[in-house]
Amino acid sequence: MTEPSLTQTWWLAHPVPLGRMLLGRRRGAGDPTYRLEGVGDRARHWRGLRTPDGPAALVLHQDRDGLVHGEAWGPGARWALDSVPRLLGQLDDPSGFVPDHPVLAEAARVVGEVRLGGGGLVMEAMVPAIIEQKVTGQEAFAGFRRLVRRYGERAPGPHETLFVQPAPETLRQVPSWEWLRMPVDPARSRAVVTAARVADSLERTIGLPGEEVERRLTSLPGIGVWTAAEVRQRAHGDPDAVSFGDYHIAKDVGWAIEGRPWDDDEMAAFLERFRPHRGRVVALLGIIGARRPRRGPRMAPRVHLPR
């Protein structure tokens, strides 16, 4: 028997390319909570979600006329469909953003209006952000993948390899030695468990001002400004959130604007006049691929943790 589903179609008042809005949420090509079928603009994007109403599977695709079609399964199906306009930036307000630097003006001319979406699920963004702290992408994505496959659950619906992240109560019970096997070191695993203990309070930050969200998130041990910004971007859709402390972002922004890598202080000084759209500036430069040349070897993942 086929599990019943809900369907919905959206005409977007502010058209956006579906892939650009969604692919940044995938935590590596092997992310069990995100499956991609097809290529290009007609691809189907599958998401496994743990909503306030329960697990859900959501698949979205966009047709040639720009209409977005969605189908969802599970107890959280209605919530998942209702979240799509916010996810696709339809509630974002870019008015007041003036790209008054020549590089930004040209980028805006090429890209058009940049809208930022929020998933509306704080723990969904928090767990991978913590696991990505101060490690290579390869190590972070592997750790997140193992966590979801070992302690998550298969998403409702027909997709047999789509998973939902572990519930907060499950995260609180993962033994310390199992974290090491993933491998996630004690500092990061403690931060995940701490967040899981106050998960309900964290979810209630949706809709709060960005500075208040940052204050509440960074009050938790192991959550700094970088992790808070990553969560604000993905869960809250905050256009002012900037991932200060990132290994690449300040260097890339400086290269795009001045032809040389910047540090965080230089980037902060440049972005200050764009409040409350500092994150929109970084997103705009990212869309046009404004990155410094990568000539050195990639950082190797750490090998001193058990596998």
Side-chain angles (χ1 to χ4, degrees):
M1 295 180 62
T2 301
E3 186 175 350
S5 65
L6 300 177
T7 62
Q8 193 163 337
T9 297
W10 297 267
W11 175 84
L12 301 181
H14 309 285
V16 293
L18 188 64
R20 191 176 83 193
M21 296 297 294
L22 295 182
L23 278 171
R25 299 177 177 277
R26 183 172 64 167
R27 313 323 300 154
D31 183 350
T33 69
Y34 193 121
R35 289 292 185 247
L36 186 64
E37 294 179 348
V39 295
D41 296 339
R42 306 285 83 80
R44 293 168 61 86
H45 300 261
W46 288 83
R47 303 286 316 285
L49 306 171
R50 186 171 298 283
T51 78
D53 298 331
L58 172 68
V59 60
L60 298 172
H61 72 278
Q62 194 167 25
D63 64 25
R64 296 184 182 278
D65 296 324
L67 293 175
V68 174
H69 304 274
E71 188 169 6
W73 295 259
R78 182 73 265 162
W79 190 99
L81 291 174
D82 289 344
S83 74
V84 170
R86 183 189 187 104
L87 182 68
L88 299 185
Q90 301 303 290
L91 305 186
D92 183 26
D93 182 9
S95 63
F97 173 52
V98 180
D100 59 0
H101 185 280
V103 173
L104 299 179
E106 176 61 16
R109 185 191 67 81
V110 172
V111 173
E113 187 177 70
V114 174
R115 287 186 169 264
L116 305 178
L121 297 171
V122 176
M123 285 300 292
E124 177 194 70
M126 177 72 80
V127 172
I130 293 173
I131 292 176
E132 291 168 19
Q133 291 174 352
K134 299 180 181 180
V135 296
T136 65
Q138 178 184 356
E139 183 178 345
F141 295 156
F144 179 67
R145 183 169 64 247
R146 290 166 184 153
L147 173 67
V148 173
R149 289 195 176 278
R150 191 169 300 175
Y151 293 101
E153 61 190 89
R154 199 178 78 78
H159 203 300
E160 295 184 354
T161 64
L162 185 69
F163 280 71
V164 176
Q165 283 194 40
E169 53 268 25
T170 301
L171 292 170
R172 295 195 293 265
Q173 298 172 17
V174 177
S176 58
W177 57 88
E178 292 292 344
W179 286 106
L180 286 172
R181 288 175 179 173
M182 285 186 243
V184 176
D185 60 60
R188 290 181 291 151
S189 63
R190 281 195 299 268
V192 171
V193 172
T194 298
R197 288 175 179 150
V198 293
D200 290 344
S201 296
L202 295 179
E203 299 297 347
R204 290 195 291 269
T205 63
I206 297 295
L208 295 179
E211 291 183 356
E212 177 62 15
V213 174
E214 178 173 315
R215 186 190 69 78
R216 296 192 185 193
L217 297 185
T218 56
S219 69
L220 298 176
I223 307 299
V225 293
W226 181 88
T227 306
E230 293 286 304
V231 174
R232 288 167 61 193
Q233 291 162 19
R234 296 192 177 103
H236 301 79
D238 186 345
D240 201 47
V242 179
S243 299
F244 292 108
D246 191 271
Y247 184 77
H248 295 292
I249 290 176
K251 298 180 178 70
D252 290 343
V253 171
W255 187 271
I257 299 299
E258 244 182 27
R260 65 176 182 87
W262 282 351
D263 59 24
D264 274 355
D265 290 340
E266 291 173 300
M267 179 174 67
F270 173 76
L271 294 176
E272 184 61 30
R273 72 178 187 268
F274 294 103
R275 284 182 184 267
H277 299 282
R278 295 178 300 168
R280 202 182 306 278
V281 173
V282 177
L284 176 59
L285 293 175
I287 291 171
I288 64 170
R291 299 178 180 88
R292 73 194 191 286
R294 308 283 206 269
R295 296 193 180 95
R298 290 188 175 185
M299 292 177 61
R302 298 174 300 169
V303 296
H304 63 278
L305 294 175
R307 300 244 176 217

